[in-house]
Amino acid sequence: MSKRISRRQFLKHSKAGILGLSTFGLVSLGCNSRASGQLKTNVPAEKLIAGLQQQIPQLMQRAGVPGVAVAMVRDGEILWSRGFGVKNTDSGQPVNENTVFAAASLSKPVLAYAAMKLYERGELDLDAPLANYTAKPYISDSRIWKITARLVLCHKTGFPNWSGDEPVWIEFTPGAKFSYSSEGFLYLQSVIERITKQPFNEYVTRNVFAPLGMTNSSYIWKSSYQSSSANGHDRDGVPFPVGKPSQANGAGSLRTTATDYAKFLIAMMEPAVNDPFRLNEVSLNKMLQQNSGISQSLGWGLGWGLERTNDGDFFWHWGDSGIFKSFALGSKRFKTGMVILTNSENGLRICENIVRLAIGGQHPAFSFSMIDY
C-alpha cells in the first residue's frame, strides 16, 4: 500500500483539502467569461506558436511563476513543446522540454487508463465490488461492498479526499453523489496491485509508460531525475526540493515531462489499432462518458473531468501539490490538447490564458472549485 501524506501536510499545501471537507462535496462556480472566443483549430500553427512564445514569459512574470513546460497537441501529434524560465530560482538552470515536474493529480487519469486495460482484458469488472478482489474488506464499514472501480474513477465512493494518518472512512453512501476523493484511487491502486501481482509503478511502466514512449515518467523517484527535475516554489518564489517518492501513490506521485504527458493525451484521442497496450474505442468512450454530473457544463467521466461547451466537449484535469501546479486539456473529436506543468504555487494563474492562446474557446473547467489559483 502506498504511503499516505499526513492530513496536516495536505491541508497546509492544498486549498483543495479544505474544500473537500464540505458536506456538499465539490461544486462548480459556473462558466468563466474570461476564457472566451472561438476555437483556434484553423489558425496557422506558426502564428499560434509565435504568440505563445511571446506571451508565456509575460504571463509568468506577472504571476510570479519561475518555470513552465508546455506541450501542444494538434491533429493527434505533438505540434510543439518548450520550456520557459528556470528550474530553481537559486541555481538559474533553465527549464527545457525534458524537465521533470511533480504532476500531482495528473496522476489519476493515468491510473484510470491502466485500470481500463484490466477491464479490457476481463480482469476487472467496473461495476463489481472492489472488495471481491481483496483478501479481506479494505475497511470494516459494510458500505465498502458498494464501492466499485466505476465509483472510484468518477469520484462517488463516499471517501474523503485524503484521510492522512487516519484510517480511511466513508462519509456517505457510495454512489449517492460526486465528491472528489484521492483516497478512492489509493483503494483502486491496491486492487490493481492484487490483480496484477505487481507493484503499481511496475505495472504502469510496462503497460502504459513504455508502450507510449513516456520514458521520463514514473510514480516513484528515478536517479535520472536528480539532474532533470525542477524544484517547487511558494507564492514568493522561494524554492523547495521536489519530493522523491519511494512508493507509488496512484493519486498523486507522478513525475513526468510535458512531452511525455502529451503522448498520454494523444493515447486518449486515438484508439488501439493492432496495439495490445492502447485502449480500444469502446474503452476510450467509456472514460469520456459522463458518470457524475456537477453542473450544466461540467461532469466527470472515468478518471477525467469533462466539460461541455458550445464548441465541443473536452476532457481535462489539474494537478496541485502546493508548490507544483499543472493542467491538461484535450479533445478526442478535434485531436487537440495542451499540457502545462509549472514549478510554482502560482502556476494555475497562467494556465487559463495559455489554453486560451493555444486552443481558444470557452473552458468552464477553470471555474471548478478545486482549482486553486
Side-chain angles (χ1 to χ4, degrees):
M1 183 61 188
S2 300
K3 183 178 180 181
R4 300 178 187 276
I5 67 170
S6 72
R7 182 181 180 87
R8 184 175 70 175
Q9 286 174 315
F10 180 74
L11 292 178
K12 177 181 178 182
H13 290 298
S14 178
K15 181 181 176 183
I18 299 172
L19 291 170
L21 298 176
S22 67
T23 56
F24 178 78
L26 300 173
V27 297
S28 164
L29 302 179
C31 292
N32 191 328
S33 61
R34 290 178 295 167
S36 59
Q38 296 180 338
L39 292 181
K40 298 186 175 182
T41 51
N42 295 320
V43 175
E46 59 274 14
K47 182 177 180 180
L48 286 180
I49 293 170
L52 288 163
Q53 290 183 149
Q54 178 185 18
Q55 296 193 49
I56 287 177
Q58 297 174 17
L59 293 171
M60 293 169 61
Q61 184 177 16
R62 287 199 294 269
V65 177
V68 176
V70 297
M72 184 176 178
V73 173
R74 198 174 201 188
D75 297 325
E77 298 181 348
I78 297 176
L79 172 69
W80 173 70
S81 63
R82 183 177 164 180
F84 296 85
V86 296
K87 298 178 184 178
N88 182 307
T89 52
D90 287 342
S91 71
Q93 289 184 314
V95 172
N96 59 42
E97 62 182 28
N98 294 316
T99 299
V100 172
F101 290 76
S105 285
L106 290 188
S107 304
K108 293 182 175 72
V110 178
L111 183 150
Y113 193 93
M116 292 302 291
K117 283 309 303 180
L118 294 179
Y119 161 75
E120 281 191 358
R121 296 168 185 164
E123 298 178 56
L124 177 66
D125 186 330
L126 294 177
D127 298 306
L130 289 178
N132 287 352
Y133 300 94
T134 61
K136 61 180 181 179
Y138 195 59
I139 58 175
S140 59
D141 192 320
S142 62
R143 292 177 293 179
I144 195 69
W145 290 92
K146 294 181 179 291
I147 296 178
T148 66
R150 185 186 301 277
L151 294 186
V152 168
L153 297 175
C154 68
H155 295 285
K156 297 174 79 171
T157 59
F159 285 150
N161 189 3
W162 289 111
S163 64
D165 295 329
E166 303 295 327
V168 70
W169 64 91
I170 297 176
E171 296 184 328
F172 58 84
T173 301
K177 62 183 179 181
F178 175 89
S179 185
Y180 187 88
S181 174
S182 296
E183 289 288 349
F185 280 71
L186 295 185
Y187 180 23
L188 181 53
Q189 174 184 338
S190 71
V191 170
I192 291 172
E193 290 174 331
R194 185 169 182 82
I195 291 172
T196 64
K197 298 180 172 59
Q198 298 176 60
F200 179 70
N201 190 66
E202 184 176 317
Y203 167 71
V204 177
T205 298
R206 291 179 176 178
N207 291 271
V208 182
F209 296 150
L212 296 182
M214 299 172 66
T215 55
N216 292 313
S217 297
S218 176
Y219 282 90
I220 61 176
W221 184 257
K222 299 199 295 186
S223 58
S224 60
Y225 292 166
Q226 193 63 41
S227 60
S228 62
S229 65
N231 288 93
H233 297 78
D234 67 11
R235 296 282 188 198
D236 298 320
V238 178
F240 289 85
V242 61
K244 301 178 179 180
S246 59
Q247 293 180 297
N249 180 318
S253 71
L254 178 65
R255 284 7 182 195
T256 192
T257 66
T259 303
D260 265 19
Y261 209 84
K263 294 175 183 177
F264 178 60
L265 282 191
I266 293 169
M268 285 299 309
M269 301 171 189
E270 298 180 348
V273 178
N274 299 320
D275 185 341
F277 292 100
R278 285 204 175 193
L279 294 180
N280 62 34
E281 185 78 24
V282 172
S283 296
L284 289 181
N285 288 341
K286 283 182 180 293
M287 289 186 73
L288 301 180
Q289 178 181 352
Q290 181 166 298
N291 282 261
S292 297
I294 302 173
S295 71
Q296 190 173 12
S297 57
L298 290 174
W300 221 270
L302 300 181
W304 287 103
L306 306 176
E307 59 174 24
R308 181 180 295 113
T309 77
N310 292 334
D311 300 304
D313 297 339
F314 288 81
F315 57 92
W316 59 276
H317 215 291
W318 84 107
D320 180 356
S321 69
I323 56 174
F324 286 89
K325 302 287 179 79
S326 53
F327 190 81
L329 176 139
S331 165
K332 186 169 179 286
R333 173 187 171 189
F334 296 113
K335 289 185 169 43
T336 188
M338 196 76 190
V339 178
I340 308 165
L341 305 179
T342 84
N343 63 351
S344 171
E345 196 170 359
N346 298 323
L348 283 169
R349 294 178 176 177
I350 67 175
C351 290
E352 183 176 11
N353 281 325
I354 293 175
V355 168
R356 176 176 53 80
L357 291 167
I359 295 175
Q362 295 183 349
H363 296 286
F366 288 104
S367 63
F368 185 63
S369 66
M370 279 192 78
I371 294 184
D372 175 19
Y373 290 90

